[in-house]
């Protein structure tokens, strides 16, 4: 009976389309993708060979058909062992686990030997003078090996049942059922060439179900997306392998989006993608609209990395854009992250990228490259950011107090509460460092509540009012001041600890009042009416709006240390200081000067009529116990 080749023709069309799609759109650097590609090629080769076996007899020499038949059997014989490898790849085992599959490959190797020697032995098949195919006496061995391959796949599937996803298990089961049915049909009806068609259907099913390229590939660029890149790096992190990840960030992406619109900008980003893909041997990923990563398939030397980054610099990109007549100015940030030294997990890597995005671009530059020091600073910031979020819960915060000296009373009258943070991972962290981070991530609200409660508890238990303390300064950030319920929250804590509001002084920064919304003024007014002293901190560090200053309910203005540093050596500094103090006095504001460190500075400022001093010349910050002792000592009579 004449063989029905149309099943093979359909299989050829399906497999050609799948392989073409793989190279154009769905290529990904994972074991299961490589094995899937090998399976697709073997199915395609088997299909082409089967067509040749059934179309060419009588038109070509017998030796050509002999080669075609050997090729068919080899390609068909390798499909099921490849499926076994594919099933194992879904478990994401280490390389050592793959060695356990060697015994299951021995029968396949034996069948390959039989196929290659059948040319001379006619054991599996033979061709007559007309090139017509005939089965050999030992053809049953191939079916025995096929049965053994099915058994190996089932054993691997059962052992990895909990590891392989349910949808993947179902697809593998359907693959086995369809292929087994096709083998049986072609055995019973040799003229019905359905084996290759069944293989093509199974490969197409895997492409649509198990492969899931849309889950790991970015649709517009064809690069790995965030999930795909995470899957790629996960084994490397798990095995603590040392590797480097490069990144390129389009810093002005959102500004460009406003100019071009999303669709037009993405078409231009496609040119950037083609620019990146000019470099072979590199795996690329697009983690976000403005963030691209690259990972050499073979980790290169530092010099090779330097050369690669030079090839990807801003000048090269702009040249690439101009050649394609795209007038778009791209601002880039680039860098290399050493893993796991600088990022011990994929989450930590994303954290570094997130913080790198916040770094300001250098003025007048369109490219910014992170140095190893920059990366170390980002890593430290990420670590501190994590610690700040749980600082109150982890008891890593404490308070110290810097005394404030009253010039007229010639005694310490108050103190400023200063927050300190210490963790095992970071050691002591400067307030200038962790407060800024807390403001950025919103944790400052918890930190401020901790400070208010700690100060109120201290005032209540130590009865500092009886020891002569007039008030305690608490610093409020710009984020705190912008909260609509700031005043109610603070007053609630003060009342809960039964502390007089007049014992609390709220320090706000000049930044907070410079960008002051209505809620800030409302909060300060309510606190002032309740009796809380309002103090303006760091006056002189920014561009003060004097109209705003006059409208605020300020009791005390604290002059920044920068105004004090040169008053004894610079005439200009003295002029600024004298006029500032005079202006505050005429506005009926008390003046506190911080950063007083020498007697000369103190004497000069006393002559100007400054009200309060704070600085190392008078007292350094102390803990609660020593502050209490200091005020206790002021009550004791001085010995004659």
């Amino acid at each position: 009976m004449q063989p029905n080749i149309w099943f093979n023709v359909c299989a050829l069309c399906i497999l050609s389309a799948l392989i073409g799609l793989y190279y154009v759109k769905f290529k990904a650097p994972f074991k299961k993708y490589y094995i899937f590609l090998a399976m697709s090629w073997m199915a395609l080769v088997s299909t082409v060979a089967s067509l040749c076996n059934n179309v060419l007899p009588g038109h070509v020499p017998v030796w050509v058909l002999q080669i075609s038949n050997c090729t068919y059997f080899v390609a068909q014989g390798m499909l099921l062992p490849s499926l076994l490898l594919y099933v194992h790849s879904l478990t994401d085992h280490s390389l050592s686990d793959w060695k356990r599959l060697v015994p299951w490959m021995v029968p396949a190797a034996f069948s390959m030997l039989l196929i290659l020697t059948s040319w001379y032995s006619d054991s599996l098949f033979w061709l007559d003078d007309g090139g017509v195919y005939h089965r050999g006496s030992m053809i049953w061995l191939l079916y025995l090996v096929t049965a053994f391959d099915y058994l190996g796949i089932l054993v691997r599937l059962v052992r990895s049942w909990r590891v392989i996803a349910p949808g993947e298990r179902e697809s593998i089961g359907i693959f086995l059922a369809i292929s087994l049915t096709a083998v049986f049909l072609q055995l019973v009806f040799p003229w019905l060439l359905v084996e290759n068609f069944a293989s093509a259907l199974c490969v197409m099913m895997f492409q649509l179900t198990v492969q899931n390229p849309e889950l790991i590939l970015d649709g517009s660029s064809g690069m790995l997306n965030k999930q795909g890149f995470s899957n790629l790096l996960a084994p490397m992190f798990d095995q603590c392998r040392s590797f480097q990840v490069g990144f390129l960030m389009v810093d002005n992406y959102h500004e460009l989006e406003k100019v071009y619109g999303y669709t037009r900008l993405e078409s231009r980003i496609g040119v950037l993608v083609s620019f990146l893909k000019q470099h072979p041997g590199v795996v690329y990923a697009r983690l976000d609209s403005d963030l691209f990563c690259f990972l050499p398939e073979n980790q290169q030397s530092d010099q090779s990395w330097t050369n690669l980054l030079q090839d990807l610099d801003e000048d090269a990109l702009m040249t690439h854009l101009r050649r394609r007549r795209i007038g778009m100015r791209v601002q880039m940030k680039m860098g290399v992250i050493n893993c796991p030294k600088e990022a011990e997990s994929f989450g930590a890597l994303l954290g570094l990228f997130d913080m790198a995005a916040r770094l300001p671009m250098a003025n007048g530059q369109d490219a910014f490259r992170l140095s190893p020091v920059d990366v170390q600073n980002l890593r430290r910031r990420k670590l501190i950011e994590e610690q700040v979020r749980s600082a109150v819960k982890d008891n890593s915060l404490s308070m110290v107090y810097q005394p404030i000296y009253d010039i007229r009373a010639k005694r310490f009258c108050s103190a400023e509460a200063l927050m300190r943070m210490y963790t095992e991972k970071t050691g002591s962290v400067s307030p200038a460092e962790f407060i800024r981070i807390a403001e950025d991530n919103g944790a400052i609200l918890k930190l401020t509540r901790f400070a208010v409660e700690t100060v109120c508890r201290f005032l209540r238990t130590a009865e500092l009012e009886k020891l002569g303390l007039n008030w305690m300064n608490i610093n409020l950030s710009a984020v705190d001041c912008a909260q609509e319920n700031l005043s109610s929250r603070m007053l609630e804590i003060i009342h809960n600890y039964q502390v007089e509001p007049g014992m609390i002084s709220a320090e706000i920064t000049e930044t907070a009042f410079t960008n002051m919304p209505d809620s800030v003024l409302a909060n300060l007014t309510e606190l002032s009416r309740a009796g809380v002293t309002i103090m303006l901190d760091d006056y002189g560090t920014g561009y003060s709006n004097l109209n705003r200053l006059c409208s605020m309910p300020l009791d005390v203005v604290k002059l920044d240390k920068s105004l004090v540093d040169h008053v004894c050596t610079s005439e200009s500094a003295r002029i600024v200081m004298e006029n500032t103090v005079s202006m505050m006095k005429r506005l009926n504001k008390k003046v506190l000067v911080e950063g007083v460190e020498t007697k000369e500075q103190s004497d000069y400022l006393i002559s100007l009529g400054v009200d309060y001093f704070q600085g190392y010349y008078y007292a350094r910050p102390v803990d609660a116990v020593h502050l209490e002792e200091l005020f206790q000592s002021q009550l004791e009579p001085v010995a004659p």
Side-chain angles (χ1 to χ4, degrees), residues 387-423:
Q387 299 295 316
V388 163
R389 291 185 185 277
S390 59
V392 176
K393 180 180 177 181
D394 296 341
N395 296 319
S396 58
L397 296 175
S398 61
M399 302 297 294
V400 296
Y401 306 89
Q402 185 167 23
I404 296 173
Y405 191 80
D406 188 327
I407 302 300
R408 291 180 177 78
K410 293 184 171 46
R411 59 186 296 276
F412 292 103
C413 65
S414 58
E416 178 181 4
L418 303 171
M419 192 176 297
R420 298 291 184 260
M421 187 173 84
Y422 178 88
T423 69

Side-chain angles (χ1 to χ4, degrees), residues 49 66 81 86 99 103 109 137 192 204 274 277 292 304 324 327 405 449 455 482 484 492 569 581 631:
Q66 190 81 10
Y86 188 84
K99 296 177 182 178
S137 60
L192 195 62
M204 183 172 65
S274 67
K277 289 184 175 180
F292 298 85
S304 298
R324 283 151 182 80
Y405 191 80
R449 184 177 183 87
V455 167
E484 293 185 356
E492 180 183 2
T569 58
V581 173
F631 277 86

Side-chain angles (χ1 to χ4, degrees), residues 427-476:
S428 295
V429 184
S430 165
E433 193 172 14
F434 76 81
I435 293 295
R436 187 181 302 111
I437 293 174
E439 289 178 339
D440 290 341
N441 65 18
I444 190 64
L445 301 178
K446 292 183 179 179
L447 268 57
T448 300
R449 184 177 183 87
F450 168 83
V452 176
E453 289 183 341
T454 303
V455 167
C456 288
R457 188 183 305 113
F458 180 36
L459 291 173
R460 179 64 179 170
T461 57
E463 297 184 331
L464 293 178
E465 185 176 6
K466 296 180 180 179
L467 299 181
L469 185 134
N470 294 340
W471 69 77
M472 184 76 77
N473 292 11
I474 299 176
N475 289 284
L476 302 179

Side-chain angles (χ1 to χ4, degrees), residues 83 86-87 90 153-154 157-158 160-161 164-179 202 205-206 209-210:
L83 180 60
Y86 188 84
V87 172
L90 299 178
I153 295 170
L154 288 173
L157 186 62
V158 171
S160 306
W161 191 261
I164 300 177
E168 296 175 345
R169 296 196 301 255
E170 294 168 1
S171 296
I172 295 168
I174 295 173
F175 188 115
L176 295 176
I178 292 176
S179 61
C202 292
M205 177 186 64
F206 270 26
T209 58
V210 185

